Each structure stands twice: as structure tokens, then as C-alpha cells.
Amino acid sequence: MEYILDTADIQAIKHCNEFYPLAGVTTNPSIIAKENRNFWEIVKEIRDIIGPDKTFFAQTVQKTADLIVEEAKLMNEKSGGDFCVKIPISEEGLKATIALKKLGIKVLMTAIFSPAQALIAAKAGADYVAPYVNRLDNIIGDGCEVVAEIVEQFAIHNMPCKVLAASFKNAQQVHQCAAAGCQCVTVSADVLQTVIMHPMTDAAIAGFERDWQNVYGDKKILDF
Ligand code: G3P
């Protein structure tokens, strides 16, 4: 199970990269546009934080296969480390995926809302598919159930493609997707922080501190 951060907010990336076991950072055109800065500056700053080994995911803004391939090649060259291009599923996107696999460039097929879309993306050679959990839940779909079906279908058909579930609004969705066996989730810093929160944990930690201080005061193990 890989945890990936879904943001281009530099402060959030710095914080989460320091404190959480992150496998990489995902972005999309909306996430980049929110920053309203030079694209390559953002890429460089993210890479400087995560280092060359963690995966940086950026999405193409082109619509035709040839231009998607051209843009993916440029981003792959300039990303400064492990890179994966995100391509929304479409006929042109599938054609680009087939071509990029021949060039050895990693592809995440995104904007996936059904197991049928996921299977054909995997067959085209996508390394990852990104089903959008919360956007399905928003329209009274069941995002986690779709993720579970994709995981099952990939197992039946022996597809090496990873399921990178995206679009989360709460920790329960993350938990359900992990339980369904998806290999990666990409989440905001807020959702990631919610994953480790539990009131019983806070109570347990307060109890340990109280009991220790009652006997040893401010003395720490390092002071013995
Ligand atoms: O990048 C895809 C996905 O993470 C989008 O999430 O929150 O915009 O539905 P959201």
C-alpha cells in the first residue's frame, strides 16, 4: 500500500514528506492552476523536496495522442527523477499510452469511473489507473465498491497495473479502498492527517504522560 500526496502546495508537501511514509506526489491541471505559478518552477520545488526516487505525477493538458506523447516526453526529461504522466482516459489517451509504453515512460490513466474503463487502460499498458472515489460518492455511486471491482478484475485477468485510488474526502473512504486491496491512494494533506487521528489514541498518550510524570516528573529516559 502506497500513500501519495495529491497537491502542489509546497508547504503541505514539505510537511507530509517529513512526517509520513510518502511514495510520491500527484498533481492535475486543477491542482497546478490553484498555485497560479510557472509550471516548471512548481515541478522543481516538488522534486527538490521529495528527491529523485519518489514518483512525481503530472497530467498532460494535450488532447491528441501525438501531442500527449510529446508533452509526456518533455515532462519525463525535465522532472528530475522518477516520473509518471497522467492521461485522462479517451481514445487519444489510449493511443498515447500504447506509444509511451514503447518509450518506457510510465503512465497513469486517470478520470476512471468504471471497472470497464480501468481494464482497457491496463490492457493498453497503463502502470496505474486512478478511479475517483469521492466524485462517484457525490452522485450516489459507490466509489469504494468500484475500486474493489477494479482490484478484483485485475486479479482475474492477471493485470500488473496498480490501482491508485484518488479523490478522497475522508479517512473511511481511504480505509475501505485499502481493505479492498488497492495498491495506492492519493490524498490531500488534510485527509492524510485524519487517517492517523483517533480520540482513543489521544487519551492513551495523555495517560502515559500522566503516569510517567507522577513518578519521574520531567526526567526522561535519556536522563537516567
Ligand atoms: O487528481 C484526481 C483526484 O485526486 C481529484 O480529486 O478531490 O478533485 O475529486 P478531487
Side-chain angles (χ1 to χ4, degrees):
M1 173 72 174
E2 294 180 356
Y3 292 93
I4 299 168
L5 200 64
D6 199 23
T7 187
D9 178 323
I10 296 300
Q11 290 315 316
I13 296 170
K14 266 189 194 150
H15 178 83
C16 294
N17 190 61
E18 180 177 355
F19 291 102
Y20 293 84
L22 288 189
V25 169
T26 48
T27 61
N28 63 35
S30 310
I31 286 172
I32 295 286
K34 223 186 266 177
E35 303 304 309
N36 194 12
R37 296 195 290 129
N38 181 287
F39 176 77
W40 295 117
E41 263 175 42
I42 298 173
V43 172
K44 185 179 176 332
E45 285 175 32
I46 294 175
R47 182 60 79 193
D48 285 348
I49 298 165
I50 66 175
D53 297 337
K54 296 184 182 181
T55 312
F56 173 63
F57 299 76
Q59 192 165 319
T60 181
V61 292
Q62 297 290 351
K63 290 219 174 305
T64 58
D66 289 352
L67 289 173
I68 292 171
V69 169
E70 205 176 304
E71 202 171 57
K73 278 164 67 182
L74 182 68
M75 289 195 286
N76 187 52
E77 269 166 39
K78 291 187 67 165
S79 88
D82 196 48
F83 176 76
C84 181
V85 62
K86 293 176 68 180
I87 305 175
I89 188 160
S90 68
E91 287 185 346
E92 295 285 339
L94 288 169
K95 181 177 171 185
T97 300
I98 294 164
L100 286 164
K101 291 326 294 169
K102 290 188 186 136
L103 298 173
I105 294 177
K106 287 195 219 174
V107 174
L108 176 153
M109 191 131 266
T110 192
I112 295 289
F113 288 91
S114 76
Q117 289 177 318
L119 188 58
I120 206 155
K123 193 68 196 166
D127 300 273
Y128 304 85
V129 289
Y132 285 9
V133 175
N134 194 65
R135 292 194 194 191
L136 277 166
D137 290 357
N138 278 347
I139 55 159
I140 326 180
D142 188 338
C144 296
E145 184 52 34
V146 169
V147 168
E149 285 175 28
I150 295 171
V151 169
E152 196 183 339
Q153 202 173 228
F154 282 3
I156 292 168
H157 295 285
N158 205 19
M159 288 290 164
C161 181
K162 289 184 180 178
V163 181
L164 190 157
S167 176
F168 288 99
K169 281 298 162 284
N170 60 61
Q172 172 64 5
Q173 292 166 333
V174 175
H175 163 65
Q176 278 183 253
C177 288
C182 79
Q183 288 85 2
C184 328
V185 291
T186 187
V187 293
S188 67
D190 285 353
V191 169
L192 191 59
Q193 285 163 333
T194 309
V195 165
I196 66 160
M197 273 171 41
H198 201 292
M200 291 301 287
T201 303
D202 297 340
I205 291 171
F208 295 141
E209 282 174 3
R210 195 176 51 241
D211 293 344
W212 177 273
Q213 273 188 343
N214 282 341
V215 175
Y216 299 114
D218 288 338
K219 197 169 172 177
K220 306 292 185 212
I221 292 169
L222 287 171
D223 301 319
F224 276 93

